């Protein structure tokens, strides 16, 4: 593995920036063991007014992006990721979608093409949304029994009450 000087000046010097289809791209090439490649895509959208109150919706939609497309089933996506030896994580909120992937150099182009399909042709299957809803509810129910969560909730309620009294 290449020795890498992680100073801001060296990172700036080695970073290659360009535009692809209106998307700003920054690459920081460095030698790695086995040709490992990490990539991150951050897509930002909306403004403060248009995204107000939509955080959970954006997160839910992001969680559905790898559950199927109009061209690939959920299983086909997972089989393709396995064949490409690629780990993929998608997250988001009301104003962004973040995609991170780890793969091997020889599979990078195919992995990026797969991500493009996920983002351009999402199926957003209702059964996957229902599965996510059930998981969220189960997580909330479990948190209600966790002492840390109960204490944090009680402290937050108390703090809000104190602040409300100070404002009066």
């Amino acid at each position: 593995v290449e020795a890498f000087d992680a100073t801001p000046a060296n990172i700036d010097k080695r970073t290659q920036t360009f535009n692809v289809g209106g998307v700003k791209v920054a690459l920081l090439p460095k030698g790695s063991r086995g040709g490992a490649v990490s990539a991150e895509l951050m897509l930002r959208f909306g403004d403060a007014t248009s995204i107000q109150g939509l955080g959970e919706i954006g997160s839910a939609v992001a969680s559905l992006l790898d559950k199927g497309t109009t061209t690939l089933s959920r299983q086909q996506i997972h089989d393709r990721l396995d064949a490409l030896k690629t780990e993929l994580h998608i997250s988001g909120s009301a104003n962004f979608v973040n995609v991170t992937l780890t793969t091997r150099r020889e599979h990078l182009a195919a992995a990026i093409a797969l991500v493009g399909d996920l983002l351009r042709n999402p199926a957003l299957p209702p059964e996957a949304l229902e599965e996510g809803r059930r998981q969220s509810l189960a997580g909330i129910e479990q948190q209600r029994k966790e002492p840390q969560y109960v204490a944090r909730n009680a402290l937050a309620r108390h703090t809000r009450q104190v602040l409300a009294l100070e404002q009066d």
Side-chain angles (χ1 to χ4, degrees), residues 33-88:
R33 187 177 331 217
V37 176
S38 296
E40 180 173 3
L41 172 66
M42 174 74 73
L43 299 173
R44 297 183 186 277
F45 38 83
D47 60 29
T49 304
S50 67
I51 64 170
Q52 189 129 22
L54 300 178
E56 294 303 318
I57 293 170
S59 178
V61 169
S63 73
L64 296 175
L65 291 175
D66 65 348
K67 305 297 187 270
T69 70
T70 57
T71 59
L72 297 169
S73 71
R74 182 181 205 169
Q75 188 60 51
Q76 288 171 318
I77 292 168
H78 289 284
D79 290 347
R80 185 79 176 125
L81 289 169
D82 287 345
L84 295 172
K85 298 180 178 135
T86 299
E87 293 180 32
L88 176 71

Side-chain angles (χ1 to χ4, degrees), residues 49-155:
T49 304
S50 67
I51 64 170
Q52 189 129 22
L54 300 178
E56 294 303 318
I57 293 170
S59 178
V61 169
S63 73
L64 296 175
L65 291 175
D66 65 348
K67 305 297 187 270
T69 70
T70 57
T71 59
L72 297 169
S73 71
R74 182 181 205 169
Q75 188 60 51
Q76 288 171 318
I77 292 168
H78 289 284
D79 290 347
R80 185 79 176 125
L81 289 169
D82 287 345
L84 295 172
K85 298 180 178 135
T86 299
E87 293 180 32
L88 176 71
H89 179 73
I90 302 174
S91 61
S93 74
N95 67 329
F96 74 88
V97 171
N98 188 56
V99 180
T100 58
L101 65 86
T102 305
T103 191
R104 307 194 46 105
R105 181 166 298 163
E106 65 267 19
H107 300 302
L108 181 60
I112 290 172
L114 177 60
V115 168
D117 187 34
L118 297 177
L119 295 173
R120 286 187 183 111
N121 304 306
L124 306 175
E127 63 277 1
L129 181 60
E130 178 57 26
E131 177 185 331
R133 188 185 75 78
R134 281 194 312 270
Q135 288 173 349
S136 292
L137 289 174
I140 291 168
E141 188 59 36
Q142 184 169 351
Q143 281 183 339
R144 293 178 69 205
K145 300 172 186 170
E146 292 289 326
Q148 265 184 310
Y149 179 78
V150 172
R152 187 172 35 240
N153 232 7
L155 180 60

